[in-house]
Amino acid sequence: FSNIAADDLLNRLKTLFAPLIKYCDGQIYMGIKSGLTAAFVIDKAMRTTIVKGNSKEVDLIKPFLNGRDVRRYFIDYKQNYLIYMNHGIDISKYPAAEKHLKAFKEKLTKRATKQEWYELQQPQYNFSKYMDKPKIIFPDIATSSRFALDDVGYYSSNTTYFIPRRDLYLLGLLNSSVGRFYFEKTCAGLEGKNETYLRFFGQYLEGFPVRTIDTAKKTDKSRRDKMVSLVDQMLSLNKRLTEVKTDHEKTSLQRQIDAADQQIDQLVYELYGLTEEEIRIVEGR
């Protein structure tokens, strides 16, 4: 009976509310596929070496993320960089980058697709303009919802997807208990050693039901404003959690995060009009 009730709730949410793909105007994009990570992804020391002799090369090198760097409400940046060689680029203008890539030329030439040996396999150039701007970013495979806000302008691998908008309201919905319920019920699962990994892409993600806001309604506007405030608080708290050193500070911040999380969940329940029984289903009680 519990499974039937969960399915009924899922169907109600999908029927009543707009799918994510419509809410974000079809703008859900995959990250970059290099074809050879060892060649194009470099550390901070190599970045310094490349840009030292030619200031133009700074424009080529972008802060870079993998899916594992994207956590729930924060980004665990590992100081990696991408040499962004899009198709058609004039390599002669970037001699230091060319020198670095030449060490990998044989392997780069053997990649499956057709491009110049020094170019990225899939640079996603058509929407690279969004990569430099604020966006919601998430891994393609994870054991739970891990949506974060990127205000830096990271470029990322094809183990990530992103929605090119700074939408704290949407971020709160995606990371909420309702979000977790939807993705656990909907996403294809890959059995790991101890956990099931969910695939956050394609129709699984695109169909996420978004409770849209009617700004003409004071209650709607008030709830959206409250969500934005709470999510902004979550972003700040999670950032501070990565910076503090003592166990006492970490415990105190985690309590504040848990409290804000509960407030977000309660607000989302109100937004979606969930009954007490439906809340128990979402929370697995």
Side-chain angles (χ1 to χ4, degrees), residues 35-54:
L36 187 63
T37 299
F40 293 100
V41 179
I42 59 175
D43 60 18
K44 191 174 183 178
M46 180 54 69
R47 177 191 183 278
T48 301
T49 299
I50 290 174
V51 304
K52 192 174 182 180
N54 183 353

Side-chain angles (χ1 to χ4, degrees), residues 49-69:
T49 299
I50 290 174
V51 304
K52 192 174 182 180
N54 183 353
S55 59
K56 287 184 179 179
E57 308 212 32
V58 173
D59 297 334
L60 277 183
I61 302 178
K62 310 293 185 179
F64 184 72
L65 300 175
N66 279 304
R68 62 180 174 271
D69 303 325

Side-chain angles (χ1 to χ4, degrees), residues 76-197:
D76 185 17
Y77 180 48
K78 300 294 197 308
Q79 298 293 318
N80 288 320
Y81 298 86
L82 175 73
I83 304 175
Y84 187 70
M85 307 294 285
N86 59 282
H87 295 175
I89 194 167
D90 184 354
I91 188 67
S92 66
K93 294 181 179 179
Y94 309 102
E98 182 180 15
K99 180 181 177 181
H100 167 77
L101 292 172
K102 272 186 176 177
F104 304 90
K105 186 172 181 178
E106 183 178 352
K107 289 182 178 179
L108 288 169
T109 304
K110 293 178 179 178
R111 286 177 294 172
T113 55
K114 296 295 182 183
Q115 62 278 309
E116 295 293 339
W117 68 267
Y118 49 82
E119 295 174 349
L120 292 160
Q121 189 165 316
Q122 293 178 21
Q124 311 293 36
Y125 183 72
N126 286 340
F127 46 83
S128 61
K129 61 184 178 182
Y130 299 121
M131 297 180 193
D132 292 304
K133 298 176 181 178
K135 53 188 174 288
I136 293 174
I137 188 168
F138 53 98
D140 64 341
I141 298 175
T143 57
S144 61
S145 301
R146 288 188 355 222
F147 295 85
L149 178 69
D150 168 20
D151 265 337
V152 171
Y154 293 106
Y155 282 49
S156 58
S157 74
N158 62 326
T159 60
T160 66
Y161 286 80
F162 66 91
I163 301 168
R165 55 177 64 195
R166 194 182 195 282
D167 189 335
L168 300 193
Y169 172 76
L170 176 61
L171 184 60
L173 296 183
L174 292 167
N175 276 329
S176 70
S177 289
V178 169
R180 184 183 65 244
F181 165 77
Y182 171 83
F183 293 122
E184 287 179 351
K185 289 287 290 181
T186 305
C187 291
L190 303 173
E191 292 297 327
K193 186 175 181 180
N194 299 309
E195 298 176 289
T196 298
Y197 290 82

